[in-house]
Amino acid sequence: MNFQLSTQPLSSLSCEALIVPVFEDTPLAGPSLEADHRLAGEIQRLIRKGLVHGGPNEAVPLFPPDDLGLPRVIVIGLGKETDCNPDRCREAAGTACRRAHDLGATSIALPPFLPSHGKESSEHYVQATVEGAILGLYEFNQHRTSIAEHPPVESLKLLLSAGLQRPSHSSAARTGEILARATNLARDWVNEPANQMTPQILAGAALHQAEQFGLQAQVLGRKEMETEGMGALLGVTRGSSEPPALIILEHGRGAGQPLVFIGKGITFDSGGISLKPALDMQQMKSDMAGAAAVIAAMTAIAQLDLPVHAVGLAPACENLPSGSSYKPSDLLKALNGKTIEVVSTDAEGRLILADALSYASRYRPAAVVDVATLTAACVTALGQDVAAGIFSNNEPLLAKLRAAGELAGEKLWPLPLYEEYREKIKSSVADVRNSAGRLTGVGTSAAFLREFTSYPWAHMDIAGMALRETANGFIPKGASGFGVRTLVEFARAWGGPA
Ligand code: MG
Ligand code: ZN
């Protein structure tokens, strides 16, 4: 899909669908009023008759006469103008564009969704409108041989009226496009069936992106992992015949101490010998959503050419049962020399992250953020499709990540790293054990990871967020791409050591 900025006046525009935002409590203004003039007052008439209210995400399609050059108009509600924020605009833009697509439009035009006295700068609203539109139009049809129900949208235009034609607005729109496309890239990777997204395929996709956008890239294989002594990752991969990979991407080398992002890349998690129940096991193709988020975020950081040094690490392998699998009671030795007693082979994410967190220390990082679909306990705590859990050993870092999440429209709720969790992962045979049972699941998983850190660090548990059960305006069912935009907003705002 082609995305363009357009300075064409609304009075002469022709496209298959025009989106017109309306507020619940304020009269039409700006581009919405212009659109109403073009439609001979039809929108105001519908408002007067009570057929258009402007409530949040209320989408009313109009079908103007043929000679107008606008076969479809979607009037989209933004709610009360005083409550308007970028996230509401993102959701409304997604809802409206999807409705236009469902009505068969292949070219869509929309103005930025802007309140007259916004809580945020107009640039934030421009960015959010573009993000919502591109995110909302996402579909995963790669493996369907039958013709899609509706033709794909080929052209999306953001209409910048005279008052908005400033370089800062063009650049905000471009940022929105990059962030949305990177999120959609992560969605593609997570939606791919597990045999189409093996560790090697993920590594290949990362190398391809790196080449396209000028990231330095390297992939460590089994041999290099053995030489390094990544016994935890090697333990997890042992039951699978797919070779593992540690994907390493780097941007801005030389720009000081780096931010290191680490993403869990289990391309299929059966639980291993501690086998999961069969029901819904297919969803475990999404256990690499952290890796997808980190790799996609790195591509956006490169495209935006952010003035930061950033490193992305994605340890990737499968977790399968076989005669060579690691098993409960096994002893593993991580890269930092710590010994681990395996209690559950289904607590594999923290094992591959242990080696990646240890590996990160060689960069002398300013901060490390890992993103992982780690525990069902986190979903129980915060709810499916609601919020990710976040843990940190550093308050300022935690605050910066939460602020970035807020900008991105991704909720991160802080959870504690109490000393009691550390007590529960003590082992009678090794330095730590990888599970302490069900009842302290989320706290002990983070306490385990902390054992492998030696720098300001935060851990995002995105288990309830990676694969949506319910759609909203800009997130379809299936892979959400959660985390990409938070990581990039965090890197954009990074202003020094945490
Ligand atoms: Mg598992
Ligand atoms: Zn897992």
Side-chain angles (χ1 to χ4, degrees), residues 297-351:
M298 289 298 295
T299 71
I301 288 168
Q303 289 173 76
L304 293 166
D305 200 18
L306 297 185
V308 291
H309 183 190
V311 175
L313 299 177
C317 71
E318 291 184 329
N319 185 23
L320 293 178
S322 80
S324 58
S325 292
Y326 80 135
K327 52 196 177 295
S329 92
D330 276 5
L331 184 81
L332 303 176
K333 190 171 187 177
L335 177 60
N336 70 348
K338 285 205 179 172
T339 56
I340 304 164
E341 177 195 1
V342 176
V343 171
S344 166
T345 64
D346 197 9
E348 85 297 336
R350 67 200 68 180
L351 296 173

Side-chain angles (χ1 to χ4, degrees), residues 264 269 271 276 284 287 319 345-349 374:
K264 171 184 172 183
D269 182 14
K276 289 178 186 290
M284 287 299 116
D287 211 17
N319 185 23
T345 64
D346 197 9
E348 85 297 336
L374 208 63

Side-chain angles (χ1 to χ4, degrees), residues 6 16-17 19 37 52 64 105 134 155 173 180 183 216 220 277 336 390 395 494 497:
S6 170
E16 290 184 25
I19 313 289
H37 288 154
V52 166
I134 297 175
S155 144
T183 305
Q216 288 183 295
L220 307 190
N336 70 348
I390 184 165
E395 285 297 326
W494 183 252

Side-chain angles (χ1 to χ4, degrees), residues 42 45 59 63 85 90 99 109 128 139 178 195 205 216 291 301 348 360 370 374 401-402 408 410 467:
E42 178 69 2
R45 198 178 65 81
F63 302 94
N85 58 40
R90 198 182 279 119
R99 176 59 75 88
E139 287 184 311
I178 289 172
N195 67 343
Q216 288 183 295
I301 288 168
E348 85 297 336
D370 78 72
L374 208 63
L401 277 162
R402 292 195 73 205
E410 298 184 324
L467 215 53

